[in-house]
């Protein structure tokens, strides 16, 4: 058998430790060889969780070892995504960038062009394409169970009334919900219903001393005629439905979020039995005129992304996410934000 592909992970905060390292380390054709973090506690956690990993202080040390590596994963704060991804490409190393690909559409376009010129693979970790509830909606739409969908409602509501002091709440770190959760929700809507012609947003800072938006509504009108209404909030004391999808044959309503994030935060690993399986009480309902039917939630599978990465590097298959998709998402988020500022003015 060929040797596993050796991976360097830049950043070991929530994204690196919970969303990337577990899937890299449990994908048979990948090996987590290097973690970059200066934080002493994170260094200890990385060494304890991943036997044999080398923990380095800086990305510069990774480029010095480029001949020993096959892939770089960028899980640093948003404002470093372009810098670190470009350095990886210049070192002729394929690169995965945690969403968002860049803080702006212009920067994302520049990065995609650099990858085209330099040659290595560039892709984006849009892991919520493999949420179990999203996979379920995608299947229902593809099967025609809903008929023609005229309205798609999607939301991620959280209750965090006090600022937590993380970089995601800082303007100089390119924080805020539009780039954070908006990158997921807009991507999912485009995957289901295709390009959007118009975008509108209501963007607010509700918490005292908030630097960035923490309560957002985005409306998209797709070329297909479907309208997507997307909510994301850190100040929702009671969450609404995760999905409400209305078609001309039936409707689908689903409460509760995909179970993988909670499992990862609790230290779960994706090779454990029942990974991604949702309890029956959380299944969604398909209904028409009072006739209600349970719909089993598809198992969530973030690991599919890294299996796709291994196949892309080994066999030359397209990466699991086209970075051009990330550009389209950023263009819509910027357009929606510009409309919001115009309306507010």
């Amino acid at each position: 058998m060929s040797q596993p592909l050796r991976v360097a992970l830049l950043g070991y905060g929530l994204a690196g430790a919970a969303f990337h390292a577990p899937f890299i380390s449990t994908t048979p054709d990948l090996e987590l060889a290097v973690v970059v973090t200066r934080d002493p506690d994170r260094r200890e956690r990385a060494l304890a969780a991943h036997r044999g990993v080398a923990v380095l202080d800086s990305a510069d040390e990774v480029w010095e070892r480029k001949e020993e590596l096959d892939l770089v994963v960028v899980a640093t704060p948003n404002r470093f995504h372009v810098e670190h991804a470009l350095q990886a490409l210049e070192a002729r190393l394929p690169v995965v960038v945690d969403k968002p690909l860049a803080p702006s559409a212009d920067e994302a376009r520049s990065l995609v062009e650099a990858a085209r010129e330099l040659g290595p693979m560039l892709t984006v970790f849009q892991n919520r394409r493999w949420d179990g509830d999203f996979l379920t909606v995608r299947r229902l739409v593809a099967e025609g169970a809903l008929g023609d969908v005229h309205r798609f409602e999607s939301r991620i509501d959280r209750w965090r009334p006090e600022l937590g002091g993380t970089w995601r709440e800082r303007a100089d770190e390119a924080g805020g919900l539009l780039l954070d959760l908006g990158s997921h929700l807009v991507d999912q809507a485009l995957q289901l219903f295709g390009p959007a012609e118009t975008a509108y947003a209501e963007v607010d800072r509700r918490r005292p001393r908030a630097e960035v938006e923490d309560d957002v509504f985005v409306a998209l009108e797709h070329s297909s005629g479907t309208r997507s209404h997307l909510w994301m909030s850190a100040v929702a004391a009671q969450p609404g439905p995760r999905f409400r999808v209305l078609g001309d044959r039936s409707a689908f309503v689903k409460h509760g979020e995909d179970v993988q994030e909670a499992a990862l935060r609790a230290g779960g690993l994706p090779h454990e039995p029942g990974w991604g399986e949702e309890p029956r009480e959380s299944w969604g309902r398909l209904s028409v005129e009072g006739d209600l039917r349970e719909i089993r939630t598809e198992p969530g599978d973030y690991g599919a992304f890294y299996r796709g990465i291994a196949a892309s590097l080994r066999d030359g298959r397209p990466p699991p996410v086209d970075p051009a998709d990330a550009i389209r998402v950023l263009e819509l988020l910027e357009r929606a934000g510009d409309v919001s500022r115009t309306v507010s003015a």
Side-chain angles (χ1 to χ4, degrees):
M1 292 182 62
S2 57
Q3 292 296 311
L5 298 162
R6 291 171 57 82
V7 183
L9 173 61
L10 308 189
Y12 204 71
L14 174 63
F19 285 94
H20 291 278
F23 295 102
I24 296 167
S25 62
T26 58
T27 298
D29 216 16
L30 300 178
E31 175 190 347
L32 184 59
V34 171
V35 167
V36 175
T37 179
R38 288 192 180 93
D39 183 276
D41 291 337
R42 293 176 181 178
R43 292 175 68 91
E44 287 185 18
R45 291 201 300 270
L47 289 167
H50 305 286
R51 198 164 90 184
V53 72
V55 181
L56 306 179
D57 285 337
S58 71
D60 289 340
E61 295 175 72
V62 173
W63 319 137
E64 293 170 4
R65 299 183 178 209
K66 63 184 180 181
E67 302 302 330
E68 306 169 17
L69 298 168
D70 302 290
L71 176 68
V72 171
V73 175
V74 177
T76 48
N78 292 347
R79 70 184 178 95
F80 295 113
H81 284 189
V82 173
E83 174 188 341
H84 288 150
L86 185 58
Q87 289 172 343
L89 293 171
E90 289 172 342
R92 299 302 192 270
L93 287 168
V95 60
V96 170
V97 184
D98 197 77
K99 62 78 204 161
L101 176 59
S104 71
D106 280 345
E107 291 170 289
R109 280 188 286 268
S110 296
L111 199 54
V112 170
E113 182 59 31
R116 188 178 297 115
E117 292 177 357
L118 294 169
M121 179 201 73
L122 169 69
T123 188
V124 190
F125 187 61
Q126 292 287 170
N127 60 301
R128 284 191 175 272
R129 292 189 185 185
W130 291 274
D131 276 356
D133 44 25
F134 175 72
L135 293 173
T136 304
V137 171
R138 191 166 202 167
R139 175 174 61 80
L140 292 173
V141 171
E143 291 174 352
L146 295 151
D148 290 330
V149 175
H150 53 83
R151 187 176 304 279
F152 172 65
E153 298 176 4
S154 171
R155 71 179 75 220
I156 299 179
D157 286 335
R158 307 266 169 78
W159 177 235
R160 295 171 182 168
E162 302 294 332
L163 296 175
T166 70
W167 66 261
R168 288 181 174 82
E169 297 172 339
R170 292 175 52 183
D172 61 354
E173 295 279 7
L177 288 187
L178 271 175
L179 284 177
D180 186 11
L181 299 179
S183 294
H184 286 308
L185 297 187
V186 171
D187 180 72
Q188 287 183 337
L190 297 184
Q191 288 297 300
L192 288 172
F193 305 111
E197 298 294 328
T198 63
Y200 160 80
E202 298 169 6
V203 180
D204 292 293
R205 287 179 289 175
R206 303 291 189 185
R207 294 174 294 184
R209 299 179 302 283
E211 293 183 19
V212 294
E213 71 279 357
D214 54 16
D215 189 31
V216 179
F217 167 73
V218 174
L220 306 176
E221 183 175 358
H222 298 267
S223 302
S224 62
T226 302
R227 293 184 185 273
S228 288
H229 285 180
L230 315 172
W231 290 265
M232 58 216 80
S233 181
V235 290
Q238 186 173 153
R242 175 65 184 88
F243 291 111
R244 181 173 179 258
V245 192
L246 307 179
D248 61 8
R249 289 186 57 188
S250 64
F252 178 71
V253 179
K254 169 75 175 66
H255 290 265
E257 287 193 40
D258 177 89
V259 297
Q260 293 175 94
E261 178 171 347
L264 291 165
R265 285 176 177 266
L269 292 173
H271 55 46
E272 295 170 351
W275 180 263
E277 293 278 0
E278 191 174 65
R280 183 168 183 169
E281 58 266 25
S282 297
W283 293 357
R285 303 291 188 270
L286 188 73
S287 64
V288 59
E289 294 183 349
D291 181 18
L292 216 60
R293 180 160 61 96
E294 279 185 330
I295 301 295
R296 179 181 178 273
T297 303
E298 297 286 327
D301 187 14
Y302 295 164
F305 177 87
Y306 275 107
R307 294 195 298 274
I309 291 295
S312 181
L313 295 178
R314 289 292 194 201
D315 307 327
R317 301 180 196 176
V321 176
D322 186 338
D325 293 347
I327 295 174
R328 285 186 279 270
V329 168
L330 287 165
E331 287 172 342
L332 287 168
L333 291 174
E334 288 177 358
R335 194 186 313 169
D338 286 343
V339 170
S340 171
R341 282 188 286 273
T342 301
V343 171
S344 299

